[in-house]
Amino acid sequence: RVYLPIGCGAASSMASQSIGAQVAINIFLFLLVMGMASTVDIKIMRQQLRNYKAISIGLFCQFFLMPFFGYLVTIAFNLPVPVGVTLIIVVSSPGGSYSNWWCALFNADLGLSVSMTTASTILSIGFLPMNLFIYTYAAYNSKDTEMGGESVIKSINFGVIFISIAVVIGAIATGVFCSY
């Protein structure tokens, strides 16, 4: 059997085991993002959100270049469906908690990182499904997932993806509220 990443088609059918794991992952994700967002000074975050050039470049790279390069890698290496779809999901997802962690660790501009995380997470509500549809269709348009002939696009569980996005948005809002 072929399994797509957690939250996709057959992987989400491993209900009892993956529901507990998904809840734990979402709790840890919430705590990590909230912790980073709560360390940012509100003034600095507002200032960074007005830094249109940096935010625009980051968003362009996040939602146009990275998904396109992921698609090119999928095509160039003729990746199997589970690997290719996983790659496309990862490169189409918004940046976030790990970039904030690295910025905090190396004393980089955490305000800009949290501002980028906020902007990319909010915009990912539209861009993530759009990029997944475009690039999975382009890479695997008529292929089945080997899971009962289900199409690749239908096998992606968008509900789990939107739950993760909501967790990050909630964590950022909570962290910013705590630092206010």
Side-chain angles (χ1 to χ4, degrees), residues 87-100:
L87 177 64
I88 291 170
I89 288 172
V90 168
V91 299
S92 296
S93 297
S97 54
Y98 289 118
S99 67
N100 297 339

Side-chain angles (χ1 to χ4, degrees), residues 115-174:
S115 298
M116 264 303 302
T117 299
T118 303
S120 67
T121 302
I122 291 169
L123 290 176
S124 72
I125 293 169
F127 278 108
L128 179 60
M130 180 188 74
N131 282 330
L132 286 179
F133 180 79
I134 290 169
Y135 292 116
T136 55
Y137 186 80
Y140 304 108
N141 61 358
S142 62
K143 295 183 183 176
D144 294 333
T145 62
E146 301 175 24
M147 294 180 276
E150 186 178 35
S151 76
V152 174
I153 293 176
K154 287 183 182 177
S155 69
I156 298 171
N157 185 342
F158 287 100
V160 172
I161 292 170
F162 285 124
I163 288 171
S164 296
I165 291 170
V167 166
V168 172
I169 291 172
I172 291 169
T174 304

Side-chain angles (χ1 to χ4, degrees), residues 66-89:
M66 283 181 53
F68 180 69
F69 287 140
Y71 164 75
L72 291 180
V73 168
T74 301
I75 297 302
F77 293 104
N78 196 24
L79 297 178
V81 172
V83 177
V85 171
T86 302
L87 177 64
I88 291 170
I89 288 172

